[in-house]
Amino acid sequence: MTRAPKAHRSNALPPGAWWIWALGLGTAASRTTNPLLLALLVAVAGYVVAARRTDAPWARSYTAFVKLGIAVLGIRLAFAVFLGSPVPGTHLLVTLPELPLPHWAQGIRVGGRVTAEGLLFALYDGLKLATLLICVGAANALANPARLLKSLPGALYEAGVAVVVALTFAPNLIADGRRLRAARRLRGRPDRGLRGLLHVGLPVLEGALERSVALAAAMDARGYGRTAEVAPAVRRTTTVLTLGGLLGVCAGTYGVLTAEGGTYGLPVLLAGVAAALGGLWLGGRRSVRTRYRPDVWGVRAWLVTGSGVAVAAGLVVSAAYDASALSPGVLPLTAPALPLWPAAAILLGLLPAFVAPTPHSREPSTPKDPS
């Protein structure tokens, strides 16, 4: 593999490759509560985003997802402090005044003892949720939502339009907020606090609503949503295959992830995937649109996809062989250790930073000759 080329329209990675890579990192995060492994996943995602994101509006959403993850972590810790934790502990940190509750609210506690074990358990749990959000933010920052919409199967086109518009809404909201805050600062008006939030938030929401209406009108004028006539039997078959396939995927996934479903999980999952693909293929016959310059999955796209799948597979296999290393206990209090093989598997997620095409704005400049 030669040095990563400069990105242009013909060699840009398909958005699906970035999403599979990020979902692989998210799957790995869902298999562990080890804070060292979760921190390594966040570092890998952040490094790849810093190395390969562009200056497009959606690329700025990564910071918002990081802040959202930090907020989720803080909320999880606050819940553990004020509502208690299911993990008992002996290392008492503080005792809060406990609110007396009626008898029908037994099992709910407000205030009371706050132990180090309960707080550490909440920290591990919140860190896992924050890492999942950051992985989704990485995919949001690297994948072009418009090209992702073009890559969807015809049967999912309408649902894909709604999802892509929703995903595009977040970065535009952030850009509008920054623009309005900068305008208020230039006018010498406060842009922080409750008053600043009200003066900035209302115009941002109003602008987002107007943009949504304009986008819907533009899509309607261009013929979005047109469908071809198909026989009623084909529609019914499509519905049965799609819904049955999705149910099979859910049941099979549950079986694969639980110890009780080890015998039926994989066959049900494969049958569900096959039925869902058949339903999507039949449903695609209703779509009358064509695809202009479809994305090509080249070697670099397969490498990016494979790195995410390898990270997920590495953590799943490690969890099966040494679950205690991936889920360190808090009773008794012990410092978590960094398991070698899961950490090495996570580092495979850095591969996109070296094989994906380099964005124009990120290309290192050559120093000029002073002579």
Side-chain angles (χ1 to χ4, degrees):
M1 179 65 64
T2 58
R3 183 184 176 188
K6 186 183 295 184
H8 50 80
R9 178 62 185 85
S10 61
N11 71 348
L13 286 185
W18 285 120
W19 271 100
I20 294 175
W21 168 79
L23 291 178
L25 266 60
T27 303
S30 69
R31 307 298 296 182
T32 179
T33 55
N34 189 317
L36 300 179
L37 293 177
L38 292 172
L40 190 58
L41 280 168
V42 171
V44 166
Y47 182 81
V48 174
V49 170
R52 287 301 181 264
R53 73 173 173 181
T54 63
D55 293 330
W58 57 81
R60 304 169 192 163
S61 60
Y62 180 73
T63 307
F65 276 92
V66 172
K67 292 179 180 177
L68 180 61
I70 295 173
V72 167
L73 181 59
I75 292 172
R76 182 67 181 88
L77 289 174
F79 274 31
V81 170
F82 294 106
L83 300 181
S85 173
V87 177
T90 57
H91 294 77
L92 182 64
L93 296 178
V94 65
T95 302
L96 299 176
E98 189 166 356
L99 183 67
L101 296 175
H103 68 279
W104 50 264
Q106 289 183 356
I108 302 175
R109 181 172 66 85
V110 179
R113 298 174 71 248
V114 179
T115 62
E117 290 87 348
L119 209 57
L120 193 61
F121 176 79
L123 175 66
Y124 290 174
D125 200 33
L127 191 57
K128 182 166 73 171
L129 294 176
T131 306
L132 285 170
L133 285 172
I134 290 173
C135 292
V136 173
N140 217 358
L142 294 170
N144 186 334
R147 291 179 59 202
L148 179 64
L149 177 61
K150 291 172 59 179
S151 306
L152 288 176
L156 297 178
Y157 187 68
E158 287 81 4
V161 169
V163 173
V164 169
V165 170
L167 293 176
T168 312
F169 176 78
N172 286 330
L173 203 67
I174 296 168
D176 285 350
R178 288 179 176 174
R179 180 172 53 81
L180 288 173
R181 289 181 61 188
R184 288 185 64 83
R185 283 196 298 269
L186 289 175
R187 294 188 180 100
R189 298 174 181 172
D191 63 321
R192 297 181 180 277
L194 181 60
R195 185 179 178 185
L197 180 64
L198 290 176
H199 283 86
V200 172
L202 291 178
V204 166
L205 293 177
E206 184 181 357
L209 182 61
E210 291 178 353
R211 188 180 298 110
S212 300
V213 173
L215 179 61
M219 295 177 72
D220 183 62
R222 287 170 172 80
Y224 281 83
R226 288 181 301 174
T227 57
E229 289 294 334
V230 294
V234 174
R235 290 203 302 270
R236 287 192 291 270
T237 306
T238 302
T239 303
V240 171
L241 285 177
T242 305
L243 293 180
L246 292 178
L247 287 175
V249 169
C250 294
T253 304
Y254 176 80
V256 169
L257 295 179
T258 57
E260 294 80 7
T263 55
Y264 69 86
L266 187 59
V268 172
L269 177 62
L270 293 178
V273 170
L277 291 178
L280 293 178
W281 177 75
L282 282 177
R285 297 171 63 181
R286 296 178 65 239
S287 177
V288 294
R289 67 189 180 92
T290 57
R291 189 169 297 173
Y292 177 63
R293 291 198 301 187
D295 292 324
V296 179
W297 285 67
V299 176
R300 298 181 188 277
W302 284 112
L303 287 175
V304 171
T305 304
S307 67
V309 173
V311 172
L315 269 290
V316 169
V317 172
S318 299
Y321 281 95
D322 190 7
S324 61
L326 270 65
S327 301
V330 296
L331 292 174
L333 281 178
T334 54
L338 181 65
L340 179 61
W341 290 110
I346 291 174
L347 290 179
L348 292 176
L350 288 172
L351 187 62
F354 303 99
V355 300
T358 306
H360 284 274
S361 57
R362 303 289 175 184
E363 184 73 11
S365 57
T366 304
K368 295 181 179 179
D369 188 356
S371 63

